Amino acid sequence: PIPTTPTSPPVVNSNTSPNYSKPNVTDHSIHFFILTPVLLLLLGLGGVIYWRYRGCTLENSEQQRQNRQTLPITAHTGGSVLLPCSCTDPQTKPKQLRWRRPKGDTWVEMSFNSDQYRNRVQLFNDSSPGNLSLLISHLTEEDEGDYECTVEVSHVTIRLTVKDTDHSIHFFILIPVLLLLLGLGGVIYWKSRGWRQEQTESQEQRGMKKDEQKTQGCQFLPDAPQNRYFLSLRLEVCEGCCGEAAG
C-alpha cells in the first residue's frame, strides 16, 4: 500500500468568511448597576417595617441583660418615687406594657385598681407614648422590692428601697427657720420700741417748747409804781398764764 500523508483541515479566515458571527457575551455590569439600587430599596423598606412592627425597645434593657444588674432607687415612707422606664424612641407606643412584681418564683402583673395601689400610682404614656415611667405616692414599707417594666421585646428591672422618714432632717431644717423668725421678730420689736420712744420724746420736747414760749411771754418788770401799768398789760397778753407769778 502506498502511504498517505495526513492533511490538516482547511483554515477558515473568520474575517473573510461570510457565514461567521461572534458569540453574544452578556454584560453583567449592567445587571449589577440595576439590581443594586433595587436591593438597597428593599432592605430599607424591610428595616422600616421591622422596626415599625417590632415596637418599643426600652432604654438600658440591653445593658441590664448583659450585666445582669438592676437599677437601684431609694425613697422614704410617706413620700413619692418615680420608677423610670421609657422607649428609645419617645414617639413609639408599645403594643403591650406591663409592670410586674415578683411573687415567689414568678412575676405577677400589678393591678393598679387593687386596694394596694388604688389612687397611688400614675402612668405618663398618655401625654408621651414612649414614657412608660410609674409614679408611686404615699410609699409604705410594703412597696419595697423589685419592679419590672416589660414590653414586647425587652424589659427593665428596678429595685426600690423604702426607708423610714428621718425626722432629724426636719429638726435641722426647722431650727434655722425658727432662729430666723425670732431674729426678725426681735428686730421689728426694737425698731417699733425706738419709734415709740422718739414719738414720746418729740411730744415732750414740743410741750417744753410751748412752756418756754409761755414763760418768755411772762417776763415781769420790777415791782415799782411806774411799772405796774405795763405789768397789767403784760398779764392781759399772757391770758392768765402768769397769774400765779403775778400774785
Side-chain angles (χ1 to χ4, degrees), residues 191-225:
K191 282 189 174 182
S192 61
R193 183 179 177 183
W195 180 76
R196 290 179 181 177
Q197 289 181 351
E198 291 178 357
Q199 290 261 333
T200 305
E201 291 177 357
S202 61
Q203 290 178 358
E204 291 180 354
Q205 290 177 358
R206 285 197 295 268
M208 292 175 62
K209 287 181 179 180
K210 289 181 180 180
D211 294 340
E212 290 177 358
Q213 291 175 357
K214 291 179 181 181
T215 306
Q216 290 176 359
C218 299
Q219 294 178 356
F220 298 105
L221 297 173
D223 189 10

Side-chain angles (χ1 to χ4, degrees), residues 47-183:
V48 170
I49 295 172
Y50 171 75
W51 286 106
R52 178 80 175 179
Y53 287 94
R54 184 185 179 185
C56 168
T57 301
L58 298 179
E59 291 185 356
N60 302 324
S61 60
E62 187 66 22
Q63 183 179 0
Q64 282 194 0
R65 187 183 65 82
Q66 293 177 357
N67 300 331
R68 296 181 180 179
Q69 295 179 350
T70 59
L71 176 63
I73 294 181
T74 302
H76 294 86
T77 56
S80 302
V81 65
L82 182 67
L83 305 182
C85 181
S86 59
C87 301
T88 53
D89 182 6
Q91 300 302 322
T92 300
K93 185 176 181 180
K95 296 180 180 179
Q96 185 180 13
L97 168 65
R98 292 185 298 173
W99 276 95
R100 304 191 301 176
R101 294 197 65 184
K103 187 176 182 180
D105 296 333
T106 61
W107 289 85
V108 179
E109 186 173 357
M110 297 172 58
S111 176
F112 297 156
N113 294 324
S114 63
D115 295 337
Q116 183 179 1
Y117 299 110
R118 186 181 292 114
N119 299 325
R120 294 203 307 125
V121 295
Q122 181 181 358
L123 290 172
F124 298 93
N125 56 348
D126 291 337
S127 57
S128 178
N131 187 2
L132 313 177
S133 301
L134 180 67
L135 177 66
I136 305 178
S137 305
H138 309 292
L139 289 172
T140 63
E141 294 181 355
E142 296 179 354
D143 296 324
E144 184 174 275
D146 291 344
Y147 293 79
E148 185 181 74
C149 176
T150 305
V151 293
E152 298 87 4
V153 295
S154 59
H155 67 272
V156 173
T157 305
I158 301 170
R159 178 160 296 172
L160 174 63
T161 302
V162 180
K163 295 183 178 181
D164 291 335
T165 303
D166 191 359
H167 297 287
S168 61
I169 298 177
H170 298 169
F171 177 76
F172 287 111
I173 293 176
L174 288 176
I175 283 182
V177 175
L178 291 175
L179 292 176
L180 180 61
L181 293 175
L182 288 173

